Amino acid sequence: MIIDNFEEIKNNLYPVIIVGSGPAGISLALKLEKQKINCLILEAGKEKYDHQSQQFYEGIVIGDSITNLKHSRLRQLGGTSGHWGGWCKPMDRYNIESWGLDYNEISEYSDETCDILSLKNNFSKSQLNNYFNQIQFQYSKVRFAKKFLGIIQKSKYISLVTNAHVSHFIGDNGVVKSVSVKINEKDYSLKSKIFVSSCGGVENSRILLWTKELNNNLINKDIPIGNYWMTHPWIIGGIGVIKKKKLRKLLKDKFIDHDGPLHIATSSNIVSEKKILSGAIYMNATEDNKIYKEVIKDLLCTSPEYGKKIAKKLFDKDLKCGNIFMNLEEEANRNNRITLHKNIKDKNGIPITQLFYKKSPKTLFSAKTIMQEFGKFLINKDIGRIALKKEIENLENYENLGVHHHMGGTRMGDDLTKSVVDKNLKVHEIKNLYVAGSSVFKSSGYSNPTYTIVQLSLRLSNEIKKKIS
Ligand SMILES: Cc1cc2nc3c(=O)[nH]c(=O)nc-3n(C[C@H](O)[C@H](O)[C@H](O)COP(=O)(O)OP(=O)(O)OC[C@H]3O[C@@H](n4cnc5c(N)ncnc54)[C@H](O)[C@@H]3O)c2cc1C
């Protein structure tokens, strides 16, 4: 149900209040509905993009530059899924297991996750060698507002209020009693049994930091809210050519034969043996004709015989040729952190976000190692050739092409001096406050985050069901 006149229902008691209606919040609400549990979603934005609402996402970044925080998320119904790319893939088992979670605890939600994201649950993986796998992404076209608005409208269990700006949670002695929210310029304090913050990979930290500041006796001061913030560096690692037929021959029936891009990812072996972070190599589905010529010209100068072979392959249309993009894991560094700005506040009087962010030297080293090892594999099997970007080869720099994934800040763990939520996503030492979204990721892996966000939200609904019953 969409609530137009909040005054009429302001005294209703909802057992669960969810803050935010992005993929994390809506997935949780949909699963609670299946379990016949009522919830109220408080969404700050409107049903469509609204410039005024977006202003609340203003933030300041100190350190290395990243995509403007106002542009890399959307404050509206459906959240940032309103303009996401839709690349989806479960995180690798070895990435999840470092979180203290059993992989099966989230993989059991794969079918439901695919239903929500309108995907085939088909993420093949085939081993190239000890260090690399060919992997498969699926591409979701789901905009959460568009797909689920009608369902929410008709729902008996989900109630939604838009234009409802949550400021903070109120409580003491380990219990949240209410949430403070401004709806149509009026302030309310709403009670519930369970509260979930699902406001995205920056706002979850901001709301909890503000909650800590306004409540003397609710959140343990040692809990590192805002710390260990991460993104996925998305960079060009170099250029190269790969012979598709030969790759197919090598992988036999395990070759992931589809018309999409070519995706190769690190295995756990290279990560542990070379002491690097995980990452993936991506080559476009369509050949880049301009780069073709450049690569061939270079090859003819440095290695004329090989250059001729490659030129011939061009006519056979057998080459994957072009820029080699990389999506990389980023180190979880305690100093990369979200804080509240000391002087600047938004229109509702909440301090804006101040993010300290420095690129990690380990990510640079990992990018170089991955490219080098992949290059060696191509030479050994005579499948292709690649060239590293100079800045990466010399360990000088990598250029982030876009920073759109926001992870960490309310990370998962057992130790309350190094984490904010436990593995059930409950804030340490608080009985009834949960966090959903990529802010709970303990490490980033290399896979895009939303698939895992949805899995975790579905799992959270079971935790909430247990708690309520
Ligand atoms: C350009 C771009 C491309 C992307 N491409 C991909 C991709 O290909 N694959 C992928 O997996 N991910 C991608 N992402 C990331 C993806 O969009 C996010 O991972 C996902 O949207 C996060 O879901 P969420 O529900 O946690 O947060 P959000 O989607 O950000 O939703 C948070 C919700 O909370 C609401 N909210 C915030 N503050 C408050 C408040 N104070 N009170 C009430 N409500 C509040 C917001 O309005 C919003 O509706 C991309 C992001 C961008 C910007």
Side-chain angles (χ1 to χ4, degrees):
M1 174 190 356
I2 311 286
I3 296 164
D4 295 321
N5 185 355
F6 190 73
E7 279 293 312
E8 279 175 15
I9 61 106
K10 68 176 182 194
N11 296 321
N12 287 9
L13 258 187
Y14 294 89
V16 184
I17 290 186
I18 300 172
V19 185
S21 73
I26 289 189
S27 304
L28 173 61
L30 292 169
K31 180 77 178 173
L32 288 173
E33 177 183 48
K34 281 194 189 156
Q35 292 164 327
K36 301 194 179 357
I37 297 175
N38 280 304
C39 71
L40 171 68
I41 305 180
L42 300 171
E43 166 53 49
K46 298 188 176 165
E47 279 181 25
K48 296 239 158 80
Y49 178 84
D50 175 69
H51 181 67
Q52 304 245 317
S53 180
Q54 197 64 21
Q55 297 303 319
F56 287 90
Y57 271 170
E58 202 72 66
I60 287 176
V61 179
I62 295 174
D64 289 332
S65 77
I66 61 169
T67 311
N68 188 320
L69 289 178
K70 214 166 71 181
H71 302 150
S72 58
R73 52 214 177 118
L74 284 175
R75 195 172 166 107
Q76 65 186 63
L77 183 65
T80 312
S81 79
H83 70 184
W84 74 318
W87 291 32
C88 287
K89 179 187 162 300
M91 279 176 94
D92 281 12
R93 184 180 284 269
Y94 69 93
N95 288 131
I96 291 285
E97 283 177 349
S98 71
W99 297 6
L101 263 187
D102 185 326
Y103 190 72
N104 299 331
E105 286 184 70
I106 64 164
S107 65
E108 67 174 281
Y109 298 100
S110 303
D111 284 337
E112 283 173 90
T113 300
C114 288
D115 265 1
I116 288 176
L117 295 167
S118 302
L119 296 172
K120 280 193 219 138
N121 190 359
N122 179 16
F123 300 92
S124 306
K125 183 157 134 185
S126 38
Q127 193 181 11
L128 289 183
N129 67 0
N130 201 25
Y131 281 176
F132 295 103
N133 297 308
Q134 188 188 7
I135 54 158
Q136 185 172 13
F137 275 80
Q138 298 285 342
Y139 302 93
S140 169
K141 294 202 169 79
V142 171
R143 305 276 180 237
F144 275 68
K146 198 166 169 214
K147 178 165 176 184
F148 297 111
L149 180 62
I151 293 173
I152 295 174
Q153 261 161 352
K154 287 189 206 134
S155 173
K156 284 190 198 143
Y157 292 95
I158 307 173
S159 301
L160 166 77
V161 195
T162 54
N163 206 9
H165 302 253
V166 165
S167 149
H168 61 284
F169 299 99
I170 303 163
D172 55 22
N173 295 320
V175 181
V176 173
K177 307 255 166 63
S178 59
V179 60
S180 167
V181 57
K182 197 184 269 298
I183 301 172
N184 297 324
E185 300 307 317
K186 271 185 104 172
D187 291 317
Y188 298 90
S189 171
L190 304 178
K191 294 198 167 98
S192 180
K193 283 188 187 162
I194 304 279
F195 298 86
V196 182
S197 178
S198 54
C199 297
V202 173
E203 293 305 285
N204 279 342
S205 293
R206 183 180 175 213
I207 287 190
L208 288 197
L209 284 167
W210 192 225
T211 297
K212 186 156 117 179
E213 200 145 320
L214 297 183
N215 290 270
N216 283 330
N217 193 18
L218 180 64
I219 302 184
N220 186 319
K221 301 276 182 275
D222 293 334
I223 296 179
I225 299 171
N227 295 67
Y228 303 98
W229 191 84
M230 301 163 286
T231 184
H232 281 136
W234 168 241
I235 68 170
I236 296 182
I239 50 172
V241 286
I242 293 178
K243 298 178 202 165
K244 279 187 285 192
K245 279 186 199 147
K246 226 165 168 182
L247 185 65
R248 179 192 299 263
K249 214 163 146 194
L250 180 84
L251 287 169
K252 300 197 180 92
D253 55 341
K254 292 208 178 94
F255 181 70
I256 300 166
D257 195 7
H258 60 91
D259 297 328
L262 188 65
H263 253 117
I264 313 285
T266 51
S267 72
S268 59
N269 298 328
I270 181 170
V271 169
S272 56
E273 282 173 29
K274 300 282 168 188
K275 297 191 175 26
I276 58 168
L277 299 161
S278 61
I281 279 169
Y282 162 92
M283 290 181 83
N284 254 330
T286 45
E287 271 43 274
D288 186 331
N289 289 333
K290 264 196 218 145
I291 294 184
Y292 255 13
K293 287 177 192 153
E294 275 176 43
V295 174
I296 301 298
K297 240 193 323 186
D298 282 355
L299 271 175
L300 282 168
C301 292
T302 54
S303 172
E305 283 313 307
Y306 195 76
K308 274 185 219 159
K309 266 201 222 166
I310 291 292
K312 185 178 171 302
K313 292 274 170 200
L314 267 182
F315 296 109
D316 298 344
K317 292 208 180 312
D318 179 31
L319 284 179
K320 197 51 92 177
C321 177
N323 279 321
I324 297 180
F325 293 88
M326 302 183 87
N327 21 4
L328 297 166
E329 176 173 358
E330 182 159 79
E331 203 169 17
N333 178 343
R334 193 176 174 105
N335 294 327
N336 282 344
R337 64 195 186 279
I338 294 163
T339 59
L340 299 176
H341 198 281
K342 293 255 170 333
N343 305 316
I344 310 175
K345 294 189 169 167
D346 69 18
K347 231 177 84 195
N348 290 341
I350 306 171
I352 66 163
T353 299
Q354 180 166 273
L355 172 64
F356 292 89
Y357 175 72
K358 273 273 174 206
K359 291 192 258 186
S360 140
K362 191 163 176 186
T363 303
L364 182 57
F365 174 71
S366 303
K368 176 176 174 176
T369 309
I370 293 168
M371 286 289 282
Q372 280 178 333
E373 292 299 324
F374 187 59
K376 277 187 212 164
F377 160 77
L378 294 178
I379 292 172
N380 282 344
K381 300 284 177 196
D382 193 28
I383 285 181
R385 295 292 186 274
I386 59 173
L388 268 81
K389 257 196 147 187
K390 272 222 168 64
E391 300 92 312
I392 293 174
E393 169 99 57
N394 300 334
L395 290 178
E396 283 161 7
N397 193 12
Y398 59 88
E399 197 189 330
N400 250 324
L401 299 176
V403 176
H404 300 308
H405 302 165
H406 304 155
M407 295 160 288
T410 68
R411 72 194 311 234
M412 194 187 294
D414 297 327
D415 179 348
L416 65 74
T417 63
K418 293 192 183 123
S419 60
V420 176
V421 298
D422 63 18
K423 71 176 213 166
N424 294 322
L425 311 187
K426 190 183 77 55
V427 176
H428 292 313
E429 297 186 345
I430 302 186
K431 284 200 177 98
N432 58 345
L433 178 59
Y434 292 83
V435 182
S438 46
S439 61
V440 304
F441 288 12
K442 186 172 177 191
S443 59
S444 70
Y446 65 85
S447 309
N448 299 40
T450 309
Y451 188 93
T452 311
I453 291 175
V454 174
Q455 283 180 313
L456 286 172
S457 282
L458 296 173
R459 178 171 171 269
L460 174 59
S461 81
N462 283 340
E463 167 68 14
I464 290 176
K465 188 181 170 202
K466 272 191 242 155
K467 191 89 170 199
I468 284 181
S469 60

